[in-house]
Amino acid sequence: MNAWLRQHRYALMVTVRRLIKQPFSSLANLLVMALALALPLLGSAILVSVQPVARQMSVTPEVTVFMRVDAPAGAAAGVAKRIQSEHQDDIRAVRVVGRDDALASLRANPAWQQALAVLPGNPLPDAVVVTLADGEDLSGRADRLAKIWKQWDQVDLVQLDSAWVQRLEAILRFARIGLGFLAACVAVVVLATVFNTVRMQALSQREEIAVARLVGATESFVRRPFLYLGGLSGALASLLAIGVAALALSPLNNALLGLARSYGAEFALRLPGTPMLAGAVLAAAVLGALSARWSVTRSTRF
């Protein structure tokens, strides 16, 4: 165990010395990877910040249950109580809109006054307006609930305007796919950068590697410093990318603050949580190590 730790400590020290020996080249490679990694971080910051705001828009996910015109007076209240008791996990609020209240609201609108004046009575039914709870697949959940409520007694029509829900979900889905594609492109950039860096290091140390093999060094001993080089480069670049993204968010938030306050709202972009950032650092390190292994395997065949 001690020998294994000594070998890894030696490989890590060799890697650090190589990075320090060529500071400008090492810093340039780290900056290239950091700027590439900062792009998906900024994209995830926008996505994470916009999602709760989108869920709190003034247009809420509502389903309207219209009763029959000849339904008893308490039918709407009974349907509202049934919805609350049987679907409490799917809804956020339920309110009953009486036919008289609905007619009064329409009459207050000048566009409807003349049309309603010629009607002999009130043609509007009682209605139950159901606000759905936030969650995934709002459109599918609204369709499922509408099909159930249509089969209830005294219910004439269930109307849901799921178009805005579908648009919202489509926009967020597009953003997630676009962010995934961007992350894949960044992964390719990191792979190529680490691959080329390790390749140049291996080629410049061909004689040293050949001598080490002559005196009995194993392939693991030869390759281990290059694996640390790739992993350490990925980890340092991701940490630098987090710093770059945090610095970039500062002026963006200053610009957004004035815009948001003009609409009477508070909005700010923020980076993802610590677990996600730690996962990104670990993923970058693993990706760098894998790229370094691939490169050193191809570049030390002599």
Side-chain angles (χ1 to χ4, degrees), residues 128-140:
V128 179
V129 180
V130 182
T131 303
L132 300 182
D134 295 336
E136 298 295 331
D137 193 20
L138 280 175
S139 179

Side-chain angles (χ1 to χ4, degrees), residues 203-242:
L203 292 178
S204 65
Q205 298 173 14
R206 290 171 64 95
E207 296 180 358
E208 181 182 340
I209 293 173
V211 172
R213 284 173 174 170
L214 288 175
V215 297
T218 62
E219 290 300 318
S220 298
F221 182 84
V222 171
R223 295 173 181 175
R224 192 175 292 119
F226 296 100
L227 299 183
Y228 271 102
L229 176 62
L232 191 60
S233 297
L236 291 176
S238 59
L239 291 174
L240 187 58
I242 294 174

Side-chain angles (χ1 to χ4, degrees), residues 9 12 19 36 40 129 135 146 165 174 185 214 219 242 245 251-252 270:
R9 184 170 62 249
L12 182 59
L19 289 174
V129 180
V165 181
F174 175 79
C185 294
L214 288 175
E219 290 300 318
I242 294 174
L252 288 176
R270 66 183 188 278

Side-chain angles (χ1 to χ4, degrees), residues 160-178:
L160 63 155
D161 183 13
S162 60
W164 73 270
V165 181
Q166 295 172 354
R167 287 194 295 268
L168 174 62
E169 292 179 348
I171 291 172
L172 294 178
R173 193 181 307 115
F174 175 79
R176 295 189 191 101
I177 294 174

